[in-house]
Amino acid sequence: MSQSDAKMGPMPEPTIEHEPILIGGGEVGRCPTRIHYRRFFADERETDPVVERRIADGRRWEATVVASLLDGSGAATMATPTDPFERTAPVTISPVVEPDDREIITARLLDAGVPLIVGGRLTSAALGAVGAPDLLLRLDDGYAPIDVKHHRVIGRSGIPARVTPIKRLADTAGSPLPFRSARVTDLLQVAHYWVLLDHIGHANRRHLAGIIGSDAGPTCAWVDLAGGRPSVLDRYQIAFDMATDVVAAGRVQPDRPLVPAVWRGECRGCPWADVCRAELESIDHVSLLPAVPADDTERLLAAGITTTAHVARLTSDDTPPEMDNATEAILQARARGAGRLLARTGADMTLPDRRVEIDFDVETYRGALYLAGLLVGEPEAVEYRPISDWTGSPDGERRVIAALFEYFDDLADRDDFIVYHWTGYERTILKEASARHGVALRSAPSVDAWFDRHACDLWAWIKQRLVSPNGYSLKVIAPLCGFNWRDDDPGGAQSELWYLDLLAGDLSQRSRLLEYNEDDVAAQRAIRHWVRSHSAASA
Ligand code: SF4
């Protein structure tokens, strides 16, 4: 079956564009298949409530940042191209202004040299580009585009940036910190705006653009778009050309994307995920192996290795030589073919032996802890003991962390127990809540020290010993061990929506959240039961 055949069922009728091609800032660096679907198929996709909430959160964050920037600045708001404004004060273009008028107003403000423009719009038919930068900041003899993002952009390694508090936005010589490489699409987007500004003679000559993320501060990460090899501008040009090619090809052949679907990180939040997943599953596409990063997928496809079944038949001698981790790809393909977990060769499958096994899992909203679930397994009985607060307040979080630490301190007086958790999330949340409220453990100098002594990250334990056919999320591993959640839509993001409903007065969500948390800890217990009762086949 061809890829296009595979996706035909759920597709709406295609529509063909007749306007000149104008690539938007949000399209640069985006999955080419998604660009095609969004442009050439009537968009009747159901919006995922989780994605909807993220978008709403993003808008609220942007409004908060802008309000903070404009506070006390004497900013004016323009609703028509003829509205008056001061050259020396920031200007916000009203959200109700239509695109054509927005461009006229933006041009006026740029020519006048106002210090900050909020809500501008730039178009160039010659470039084939359109863009709506959140902010345009007067810098040197031109402007720098800045976008506001509701995610963290500062990392431990990545693209060199200078980071400055937004209260000193124009200070582009702030602390040298790396901009996360995984967020490079943000930079491609502001590069798009910089190129548009450059085309009309208003770009700052230092090629600077900024991203205000949700890192503590908040702060703006300034990046030299022309720095490094390849520079952000080099990468932008490749991405822009790709987007243009996709749209041009789509106009000729709207029923088939120029670039077929490849499963990637972006798929998780994409409205076309169900279509692409079904299509890729039907052809056993190699990108379905989570252990294969995007670059390795390209290498495999270029070598004519298109299916996971083909990967499963390879040895490390006949994979493309540049692959990052060919061995893991082969093992995962074999697990996928077998449809189950496979033990790694020589792995010691002996779990720690303690009289009491406690499974631990936290529920949070925007990083704030409201529920710590403990499934306490003694030889005689197993009991679920939640520690919770449903007020949504800082005091509530303090009560939860204090009660939990008291429980941990009491536990530490005995030595016959172990606490299991899944990934490092629990440690991180406890450390952050502990610091926020000045609540410390009595039985250990730090959260890390307590966990090092008394806890086991079951996720890491499993990953070291077993090969999964489809990644290492608890929601993947537990069903492979025979466990299923009672809720038919379990997930951390969904649980945040239930929590919001609860705070809004829907008290039925409390039992749903407790049940979900209880199942999360029961899932860990079920995985260990499976490990102990199965001698998994060797990978
Ligand atoms: S699901 Fe993935 S491959 Fe498909 S259009 Fe979306 S991002 Fe692209």
Side-chain angles (χ1 to χ4, degrees):
M1 185 186 292
S2 73
Q3 293 199 7
S4 53
D5 289 336
K7 68 172 167 49
M8 279 299 107
M11 282 294 184
E13 285 302 306
T15 55
I16 301 178
E17 293 184 351
H18 298 288
E19 300 294 317
I21 294 176
L22 292 175
I23 300 299
E27 290 180 308
V28 183
R30 174 154 279 184
C31 163
T33 321
R34 185 171 177 176
I35 295 172
H36 179 96
Y37 285 170
R38 196 185 67 77
R39 286 209 177 220
F40 297 104
F41 288 85
D43 192 1
E44 292 173 6
R45 315 298 303 165
E46 246 180 57
T47 314
D48 181 339
V50 172
V51 174
E52 233 170 30
R53 183 177 60 84
R54 278 195 196 125
I55 293 168
D57 284 350
R59 291 209 180 103
R60 264 194 299 276
W61 173 240
E62 186 183 331
T64 304
V65 168
V66 168
S68 164
L69 285 171
L70 298 184
D71 186 30
S73 69
T77 299
M78 290 178 74
T80 75
T82 52
D83 282 356
F85 64 90
E86 296 285 338
R87 282 170 186 272
T88 53
V91 176
T92 297
I93 305 175
S94 166
V96 299
V97 176
E98 294 295 327
D100 286 354
D101 278 355
R102 190 172 294 278
E103 284 170 24
I104 294 167
I105 296 172
T106 306
R108 269 191 81 197
L109 297 172
L110 289 170
D111 288 342
V114 299
L116 182 67
I117 302 167
V118 180
R121 182 179 162 98
L122 307 158
T123 298
S124 165
L127 289 178
V130 60
D134 293 333
L135 305 169
L136 291 168
L137 179 74
R138 178 93 180 146
L139 199 64
D140 308 333
D141 53 351
Y143 279 84
I146 302 172
D147 250 28
V148 182
K149 302 292 181 190
H150 194 229
H151 48 240
R152 294 180 185 186
V153 297
I154 311 300
R156 291 204 184 101
S157 62
I159 298 157
R162 292 279 180 167
V163 177
T164 195
I166 63 166
K167 284 294 176 196
R168 300 198 312 270
L169 193 57
D171 172 10
T172 59
S175 311
L177 289 168
F179 188 96
R180 293 180 185 210
S181 302
R183 295 295 184 188
V184 70
T185 311
D186 295 348
L187 296 180
L188 299 182
Q189 195 171 345
V190 283
H192 184 75
Y193 305 143
W194 187 91
V195 168
L196 273 161
L197 284 168
D198 187 47
H199 184 69
I200 56 174
H202 281 298
N204 74 85
R205 293 295 109 204
R206 288 187 283 157
H207 306 92
L208 288 173
I211 300 289
I212 299 173
S214 59
D215 312 82
T219 54
C220 179
W222 285 105
V223 172
D224 174 1
L225 302 172
R229 288 288 170 272
S231 68
V232 174
L233 283 171
D234 293 334
R235 295 169 74 170
Y236 161 74
Q237 196 55 54
I238 293 168
F240 178 82
D241 290 346
M242 167 60 84
T244 307
D245 288 350
V246 164
V247 178
R251 290 185 173 190
V252 178
Q253 198 159 322
D255 60 343
R256 190 163 64 196
L258 176 68
V259 181
V262 169
W263 200 254
R264 62 189 83 211
E266 186 180 336
C267 300
R268 281 194 297 273
C270 176
W272 304 97
D274 56 341
V275 175
C276 292
R277 187 79 198 187
E279 172 187 328
L280 294 167
E281 289 284 359
S282 75
I283 55 174
D284 187 31
H285 196 263
V286 71
S287 65
L288 294 174
L289 296 172
V292 180
D295 288 349
D296 280 354
T297 299
E298 278 177 28
R299 288 175 185 126
L300 286 165
L301 291 173
I305 301 165
T306 61
T307 67
T308 73
H310 191 164
V311 176
R313 292 194 300 273
L314 297 175
T315 65
S316 24
D317 291 338
D318 44 22
T319 53
E322 318 81 16
M323 274 186 72
D324 282 341
N325 195 344
T327 308
E328 193 62 21
I330 293 167
L331 291 177
Q332 196 167 80
R334 289 176 185 168
R336 181 178 154 84
R340 60 195 163 91
L341 294 163
L342 298 179
R344 294 185 190 276
T345 309
D348 177 2
M349 301 301 294
T350 314
L351 279 154
D353 184 21
R354 299 286 191 285
R355 200 183 79 80
V356 181
E357 292 190 344
I358 300 169
D359 288 289
F360 174 51
D361 179 63
V362 297
E363 304 301 336
T364 60
Y365 180 67
R366 291 185 177 162
L369 172 68
Y370 65 88
L371 168 59
L374 301 147
L375 186 70
V376 184
E378 313 226 14
E380 312 77 40
V382 179
E383 187 188 358
Y384 174 59
R385 295 183 200 162
I387 298 172
S388 61
D389 183 280
W390 308 98
T391 59
S393 65
D395 263 0
E397 183 185 53
R398 189 188 48 71
R399 281 192 288 275
V400 173
I401 191 80
L404 179 67
F405 278 9
E406 204 178 316
Y407 178 76
F408 278 1
D409 286 335
D410 288 347
L411 270 181
D413 290 340
R414 46 200 285 187
D415 220 13
D416 59 348
F417 76 96
I418 184 166
V419 171
Y420 286 102
H421 57 100
W422 197 262
T423 77
Y425 188 66
E426 273 65 32
R427 276 188 193 227
T428 303
I429 289 298
L430 297 196
K431 281 192 280 189
E432 290 177 355
S434 158
R436 259 196 301 277
H437 300 287
V439 176
L441 283 155
R442 168 180 50 79
S443 54
S446 67
V447 170
D448 277 333
W450 197 95
F451 271 67
D452 289 347
R453 170 126 196 240
H454 301 296
C456 170
D457 180 349
L458 190 59
W459 170 83
W461 193 96
I462 290 286
K463 202 171 177 193
Q464 282 161 10
R465 293 163 177 83
L466 293 164
V467 182
S468 163
N470 192 23
Y472 292 88
S473 119
L474 185 62
K475 304 296 184 297
V476 167
I477 300 295
L480 291 166
C481 299
F483 182 87
N484 288 299
W485 275 254
R486 281 169 284 180
D487 201 290
D488 54 13
D489 189 22
Q494 285 86 341
S495 75
E496 291 199 348
L497 293 180
W498 308 337
Y499 182 68
L500 280 182
D501 288 345
L502 172 68
L503 291 184
D506 180 357
L507 297 182
S508 69
Q509 299 293 359
R510 183 182 298 186
S511 50
R512 191 179 191 184
L513 284 160
L514 284 166
E515 193 174 89
Y516 167 68
N517 179 259
E518 184 178 2
D519 280 356
D520 270 1
V521 283
Q524 296 183 48
R525 188 174 168 82
I527 290 168
R528 289 198 307 285
H529 178 75
W530 183 92
V531 167
R532 287 181 171 125
S533 58
H534 281 70
S535 45
S538 191

